Amino acid sequence: AQKVTQAQTEISVVEKEDVTLDCVYETRDTTYYLFWYKQPPSGELVFLIRRNSFDEQNEISGRYSWNFQKSTSSFNFTITASQVVDSAVYFCALRGQLGDNDMRFGAGTRLTVKP
Amino acid sequence: NAGVMQNPRHLVRRRGQEARLRCSPMKGHSHVYWYRQLPEEGLKFMVYLQKENIIDESGMPKERFSAEFPKEGPSILRIQQVVRGDSAAYFCASSPEREGLLNIQYFGAGTRLSVL
């Protein structure tokens, strides 16, 4: 069974603080993909990153960084120097091997960044 | 390159009516997925379609729900005889045909269905 857990339901920070959103996953597949999506108040889902299970290199994109650790089945997302525009619900998702059409989403973490 | 287009953005229906949600995938994408997001919850997979074929409908309720992706035109998610529990945001995603990019799904803005 595949499962994604985002234990933090809501996080509130003050602008310029760093914040880490946790994501823990379960899968029996040896090949899988992990994703993060952002859902701002306007409601659309914005793709942020995809990671495959063979690439554990951490990634940085501007103020965003991702820490993928297979040993702990985690794929955490850090926003450095948060801004008000970062306020959104963030979803972590898992998809198994090619042909597995069911992308499993976590319940989401609502991030509020206050000025 | 326009993104995934869903319409309407908001749809209000009374109990017992039919709801039709439309999704036009990104240009060049031939795979379409529908997800449902209940209030305060994550997205739940419903159905995966390619042109003229339903590939996987394991997440779709057995009754009242149907989906199609015709050769021409958008994908349609149809909900017959809607009930209050159908109130949710319905998201469509598409992905390209090329194998290396199969797993990136690009999402539309969603259709928010409210059943009165």
Side-chain angles (χ1 to χ4, degrees):
Chain A
Q2 307 205 104
K3 186 179 175 183
V4 176
T5 302
Q6 294 180 255
Q8 305 149 306
T9 307
E10 294 191 33
I11 299 177
S12 181
V13 299
V14 176
E15 214 172 12
K16 296 184 184 173
E17 283 185 17
D18 298 347
V19 58
T20 295
L21 310 181
D22 297 333
C23 173
V24 174
Y25 63 91
E26 294 175 32
T27 180
R28 290 191 191 137
D29 290 344
T30 52
T31 301
Y32 52 89
Y33 294 82
L34 294 161
F35 302 79
W36 276 94
Y37 285 87
K38 173 182 179 180
Q39 187 177 39
S42 50
E44 73 272 25
L45 274 167
V46 179
F47 166 78
L48 295 179
I49 189 171
R50 178 191 69 170
R51 219 57 185 151
N52 75 57
S53 50
F54 297 108
D55 183 2
E56 286 192 72
Q57 195 170 16
N58 291 330
E59 182 155 338
I60 298 175
S61 175
R63 295 184 298 107
Y64 294 172
S65 62
W66 291 269
N67 184 355
F68 176 28
Q69 295 205 348
K70 283 180 85 168
S71 59
T72 56
S73 297
S74 65
F75 186 42
N76 296 338
F77 173 30
T78 297
I79 302 174
T80 305
S82 60
Q83 299 176 1
V84 172
V85 292
D86 295 328
S87 297
V89 180
Y90 290 86
F91 291 99
C92 180
L94 165 72
R95 188 170 181 186
Q97 298 176 3
L98 271 173
D100 178 1
N101 309 305
D102 185 355
M103 191 148 85
R104 295 297 175 99
F105 282 80
T109 297
R110 182 179 299 278
L111 173 66
T112 302
V113 181
K114 298 176 182 175
Chain B
N1 189 12
V4 177
M5 304 301 292
Q6 288 188 250
N7 66 82
R9 288 295 306 275
H10 300 274
L11 182 60
V12 179
R13 284 288 177 266
R14 296 191 180 280
R15 278 180 298 171
Q17 291 184 321
E18 177 179 285
R20 280 188 168 226
L21 289 63
R22 287 178 291 277
C23 169
S24 296
M26 285 179 72
K27 189 176 180 181
H29 288 193
S30 58
H31 302 255
V32 165
Y33 311 79
W34 285 94
Y35 292 81
R36 175 164 62 176
Q37 183 183 25
L38 294 170
E40 306 303 320
E41 291 188 14
L43 281 76
K44 296 285 194 295
F45 168 80
M46 297 180 74
V47 62
Y48 163 45
L49 309 103
Q50 292 180 21
K51 283 284 186 183
E52 300 185 277
N53 288 305
I54 295 175
I55 307 302
D56 180 354
E57 55 183 349
S58 57
M60 194 108 94
K62 293 286 184 275
E63 296 177 353
R64 302 188 297 108
F65 285 72
S66 63
E68 62 178 18
F69 188 16
K71 189 175 178 182
E72 301 290 338
S75 175
I76 305 286
L77 178 67
R78 182 193 301 176
I79 312 172
Q80 295 177 301
Q81 299 176 318
V82 295
V83 300
R84 287 222 174 100
D86 296 332
S87 296
Y90 292 83
F91 286 91
C92 170
S94 73
S95 65
E97 194 164 9
R98 289 169 290 169
E99 185 175 338
L101 294 175
L102 253 183
N103 283 300
I104 294 181
Q105 296 180 14
Y106 297 90
F107 283 80
T111 293
R112 274 143 191 84
L113 172 65
S114 297
V115 180
L116 305 179

